Amino acid sequence: MSEKHKEILLKANAEVIKGNNEGFLNYCTDDVTWTFVGEQTIRGKDKIRKYMMETYISPPEFDVVTLISEGDYVTAFGSISLKDNQGKVNSFEYCDVWKFRDGLMAELTAFVIPHKD
């Protein structure tokens, strides 16, 4: 099942890259939870939808370096670039740990660090 979870995550991320946040959310449980370690926790599709609309002003750019899966978990390591309201691109390194339930993404624990030149 873990290879299937990798596939789901990659398909979901492809939707975000296309700017299709609803397509991404189709791969999530209704009670999905995102925890940004040291920052905030967001619960439920409606709140995550709002977060995505505010944060993904234009589609982000992902570079997934490593995907590791075991059981109901997939860990993704890489970088992401996001534009802010002023059009400035901000880059981050990240490590996302996703927990799957019934074939959908149910929980995210994200470690996100601003990229320093």
Side-chain angles (χ1 to χ4, degrees), residues 12-110:
N13 281 347
E15 294 300 324
V16 173
I17 291 167
K18 291 190 290 188
N20 184 6
N21 295 341
E22 287 303 314
F24 173 88
L25 290 169
N26 287 334
Y27 291 98
C28 298
T29 61
D30 288 336
D31 63 344
V32 62
T33 300
W34 285 10
T35 300
F36 295 95
V37 175
E39 270 188 53
Q40 65 177 323
T41 298
I42 308 168
R43 291 182 177 84
K45 274 189 182 179
D46 287 338
K47 289 183 180 171
I48 290 172
R49 179 179 291 112
K50 183 177 185 265
Y51 171 85
M52 292 176 84
M53 285 179 12
E54 292 170 356
T55 305
Y56 302 158
I57 294 163
S58 63
E61 293 182 23
F62 286 95
D63 181 20
V64 179
V65 176
T66 305
L67 278 178
I68 303 167
S69 62
E70 184 173 328
D72 289 332
Y73 291 89
V74 174
T75 300
F77 169 75
S79 60
I80 184 172
S81 296
L82 303 163
K83 280 188 184 174
D84 64 18
N85 287 329
Q86 289 75 39
K88 179 184 175 204
V89 176
N90 297 297
S91 298
F92 305 87
E93 304 296 320
Y94 74 89
C95 181
D96 287 349
V97 180
W98 284 96
K99 182 177 182 182
F100 284 74
R101 185 175 72 238
D102 300 326
L104 296 172
M105 299 183 303
E107 296 175 27
L108 167 64
T109 302

